[in-house]
């Protein structure tokens, strides 16, 4: 996984057909997805429940790009090995999910994955000040996690602060929640490179009408690149 700061579109399969993940993943990749974003929810850290490591392992052979697994679970540490075994390329934990994020990030890297740290809207940029050399990706939530299709919460100040804090370090800034062609330029201008989008990618399309996914992905990318 070579590092760069170009715009990467990461469709969230939270908005895909849950009875058809394999075909959905192949469709979004064929239509230009750079990464595949996989939202794991436990009904405890967030008020919604999706799937666990067995499902993620089943997604793996369909993902040819980067499998970006966003854990919205607490605790995290007992499950790190299971997600490594499932084939996650990037494993992201929430800083709010427990008292020992430093240990969690070390354990994720120790298990051979890229380590991400996610920040809820209420958590300041400064919370990661002592984690910058332990992390490969900072995920700035622009909604309160738990559901797709929510309204974008403007976090451009936080993104710009993080971009400055990161400096030359090879750390991605990922934006998750409410990303569409209107909001993408704002977050790109502030310093984001990985744009997660669920509803804005999947809306109007299906595996039998997958060119809509391509149109949606291109619209987000072009808007971001024009920023
Ligand atoms: C929210 C998830 C997101 C979500 C984004 O808890 O982490 O990845 O799927 O969905 P949209 O793009 O619809 O806001
Ligand atoms: Zn997510």
């Amino acid at each position: 996984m070579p590092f760069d700061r170009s715009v990467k579109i990461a469709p969230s399969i939270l908005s895909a057909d849950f009875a058809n993940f394999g075909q959905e993943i192949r469709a979004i990749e064929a239509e230009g997805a750079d990464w595949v974003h996989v939202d794991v929810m436990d009904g405890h850290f967030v008020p919604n429940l999706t799937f666990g490591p067995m499902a993620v392992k089943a997604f793996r052979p369909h993902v040819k790009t980067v499998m970006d697994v966003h854990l919205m679970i607490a605790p995290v540490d007992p499950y790190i090995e299971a997600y490594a075994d499932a084939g996650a390329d990037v494993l992201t934990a929430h800083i709010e999910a427990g008292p020992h994020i430093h240990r969690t990030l070390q354990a994720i890297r120790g298990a051979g994955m890229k380590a991400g740290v996610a920040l809820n809207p209420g958590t300041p940029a400064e919370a990661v000040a002592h984690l910058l050399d332990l992390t490969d990706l900072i995920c700035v939530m622009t909604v309160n996690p738990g559901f797709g299709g929510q309204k974008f919460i403007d976090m451009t100040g936080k993104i710009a602060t993080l971009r400055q804090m990161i400096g030359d370090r090879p750390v991605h800034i990922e934006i998750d929640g409410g990303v569409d062609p209107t909001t993408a330029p704002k977050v790109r201008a502030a310093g984001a490179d990985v744009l997660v989008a669920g509803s804005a990618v999947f809306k109007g399309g299906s595996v039998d009408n997958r060119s809509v996914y391509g149109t949606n992905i291109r619209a987000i990318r072009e808007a971001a690149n024009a920023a």
Side-chain angles (χ1 to χ4, degrees):
M1 246 184 92
F3 179 85
D4 71 60
R5 293 190 205 282
S6 64
V7 170
K8 289 165 282 294
I9 308 297
S12 165
I13 58 168
L14 186 63
S15 294
D17 174 3
F18 268 46
N20 209 2
F21 281 120
Q23 283 193 57
E24 291 275 41
I25 289 166
R26 292 200 302 276
I28 52 174
E29 288 196 341
E31 293 295 333
D34 299 288
W35 290 15
V36 175
H37 185 82
V38 176
D39 285 308
V40 174
M41 305 186 186
D42 68 353
H44 163 74
F45 179 69
V46 290
N48 194 8
L49 197 56
T50 55
F51 36 69
M54 292 172 71
V56 175
K57 190 172 188 167
F59 304 158
R60 178 69 263 185
H62 300 280
V63 179
K64 305 296 181 214
T65 58
V66 171
M67 188 159 75
D68 173 35
V69 178
H70 177 193
L71 298 180
M72 287 161 275
I73 68 172
V76 170
D77 294 11
Y79 299 99
I80 291 172
E81 278 302 331
Y83 286 99
D85 180 57
D89 295 302
V90 182
L91 192 66
T92 297
H94 269 263
I95 199 165
E96 306 86 3
H100 297 297
I101 187 69
H102 191 284
R103 172 187 292 152
T104 299
L105 293 172
Q106 284 180 319
I108 293 172
R109 280 189 171 174
M113 297 172 283
K114 298 284 185 194
V117 57
L119 306 182
N120 280 335
T123 301
E126 290 70 20
V128 300
H130 300 283
L131 303 172
L132 294 170
D133 294 314
L134 284 173
T135 189
D136 302 291
L137 175 147
I138 301 172
C139 174
V140 178
M141 295 303 303
T142 39
V143 297
N144 285 296
F147 303 94
Q150 302 184 80
K151 192 177 169 336
F152 177 81
I153 303 169
D154 197 327
M155 292 280 138
T156 45
K158 189 195 288 189
I159 298 163
T161 301
L162 287 167
R163 184 68 198 86
Q164 258 193 336
M165 289 166 66
I166 287 168
D168 292 333
R169 294 177 181 86
V171 178
H172 297 288
I173 298 182
E174 175 177 76
I175 308 302
D176 192 359
V179 172
D180 63 20
T182 311
T183 56
K186 298 184 194 178
V187 299
R188 175 60 174 170
D193 63 301
V194 183
L195 307 184
V196 175
S199 41
V201 167
F202 285 91
K203 74 163 191 299
S206 69
V207 294
D208 298 320
N209 189 16
R210 70 169 210 212
S211 66
V212 174
Y213 297 161
T215 305
N216 291 341
I217 289 168
R218 279 191 299 280
I220 300 166
R221 191 192 307 281
E222 281 163 21
N225 278 329

